[in-house]
Amino acid sequence: MFLWLAAAFAAPPKLNDVNQQIIVWGDPFLRWDQRFYVETELHPVAPLRIPAFRNTELRLTAVQVRAVLACSRLARQGKHQLEVRCRIEDIGLQGRPHPKDKLERHARVLPEVDATLTGIEIELQVTDKGRVFSVGLDGFETTTLRTRQREEVLRQIAWRLIAPFDLKLPEPIRPWSQWTTNKTALFAWPTKDATRGGIEVVHTMSPYDGHLVVQTVGRSTIEDGGVTIEMLGGDEQSEFRDLGQLRFNLQLDGVTVIDPTTGILSDRVYTVQGAATSSSGAAIAARKHSQTGRIRMLGAGDRPDVGPSVLRTAESWQPLGIDGP
């Protein structure tokens, strides 16, 4: 992955030996007055549960989301923060259901999610240093437990679309830079019981082919005691098993392209891979976690095809292929 950058990073110079001029962008929030194409594929440790409007619940062992976002600034929140709205112009979801979820019975759930999210606005708070936090959905009425559960699942889907925009930049910004952070939205975990530790993310910025390119590598540990899975078998043999305290090691790799004249993030690709440690409950069930994705800035007339919102069998599932910006 990201082979196109091999030449750029084959023999990086020492930062002390290169021109260290400072880059100043007049408007650090300009990136949020843009349209973007976003795609992501998630393989969670435990199935993602999506309540239908009525009577049933869909469990996904893998999900792909493709969306077109039109983002705009709403209001300043102090000197360094801004409220942003990103309208979902179009969205397509493809899911691989749990083996016991029948395609015929659950086929309506993803089109329901599509219809609910199309046209809705994602509310978020951002900083002038590139951080993103406080993601919510506008216009939901959560009057019952089911609607609250449904809103939380949809908010998690929205968060997966917004997470790759979270990229803290150094201060000051120089063409050749290296900096570290102890947070990244790309290490978000799908359960509320998880605790994070040992997060270390290293970013290296270099000029390449008229752009600023940021290479990101990171690692983290996740501990979670709230994961329960259904062990498959016949109807009489199925059982739910609490995996106990599990521990995962996560690895992040990514490449970001930034316009050097405006600071706009024009392209980013990333992958997060997670494997259970030998002492974790998840190792017994050979559980893994992965997420791959991309964001790409669009022109005013661009209308990419996000595809249909459908369920796919294991045989018809096509992994998301991302080669690089």
Side-chain angles (χ1 to χ4, degrees), residues 39-84:
E39 58 185 1
T40 186
E41 178 174 325
L42 173 67
H43 294 255
V45 177
L48 178 66
R49 296 173 175 267
I50 304 180
F53 279 133
R54 289 181 294 274
N55 302 331
T56 190
E57 177 185 71
L58 172 64
R59 296 169 296 178
L60 296 178
T61 59
V63 61
Q64 293 178 1
V65 185
R66 297 171 177 85
V68 176
L69 304 180
C71 299
S72 59
R73 292 179 276 192
L74 185 64
R76 292 295 290 259
Q77 302 289 327
K79 184 178 180 180
H80 301 289
Q81 296 183 12
L82 184 72
E83 182 179 350
V84 172

Side-chain angles (χ1 to χ4, degrees), residues 45-47 189 191 193 224-229 241-244 246 282 287:
V45 177
W189 197 250
T191 73
D193 298 317
D224 193 346
V227 176
T228 301
I229 63 169
R241 177 179 297 180
D242 185 347
L243 293 180
L246 62 85
R287 294 281 149 171

Side-chain angles (χ1 to χ4, degrees), residues 64-67 90-94 114 306-309:
Q64 293 178 1
V65 185
R66 297 171 177 85
D90 198 6
I91 191 169
L93 305 99
Q94 297 190 28
D114 184 323
V306 299
S309 292

Side-chain angles (χ1 to χ4, degrees), residues 26-34 70-77 81-87 121-122 124 126 128 264:
D27 185 353
F29 295 114
L30 188 60
R31 71 167 64 177
W32 295 108
D33 288 326
Q34 314 295 331
C71 299
S72 59
R73 292 179 276 192
L74 185 64
R76 292 295 290 259
Q77 302 289 327
Q81 296 183 12
L82 184 72
E83 182 179 350
V84 172
R85 298 287 181 93
C86 290
R87 180 177 177 271
E121 288 188 335
I122 306 173
L124 54 149
V126 303
D128 56 358
I264 294 176

Side-chain angles (χ1 to χ4, degrees), residues 94-168:
Q94 297 190 28
R96 193 174 66 196
H98 187 281
K100 287 200 169 185
D101 286 358
K102 304 301 182 183
L103 266 65
E104 298 79 7
R105 179 185 177 189
H106 295 87
R108 62 183 172 89
V109 179
L110 289 186
E112 285 181 359
V113 173
D114 184 323
T116 302
L117 289 178
T118 298
I120 207 167
E121 288 188 335
I122 306 173
E123 303 173 326
L124 54 149
Q125 304 286 331
V126 303
T127 74
D128 56 358
K129 301 305 178 187
R131 298 309 310 268
V132 178
F133 57 97
S134 183
V135 173
L137 296 175
D138 183 41
F140 271 86
E141 294 184 6
T142 54
T143 56
T144 66
L145 175 60
R146 189 173 189 85
T147 57
R148 287 196 296 271
Q149 292 172 336
R150 182 177 173 83
E151 180 186 9
E152 175 57 26
V153 172
L154 299 184
R155 192 192 68 81
Q156 286 190 29
I157 293 174
W159 178 244
R160 299 289 172 178
L161 296 176
I162 296 297
F165 289 95
D166 178 62
L167 176 64
K168 183 180 179 181

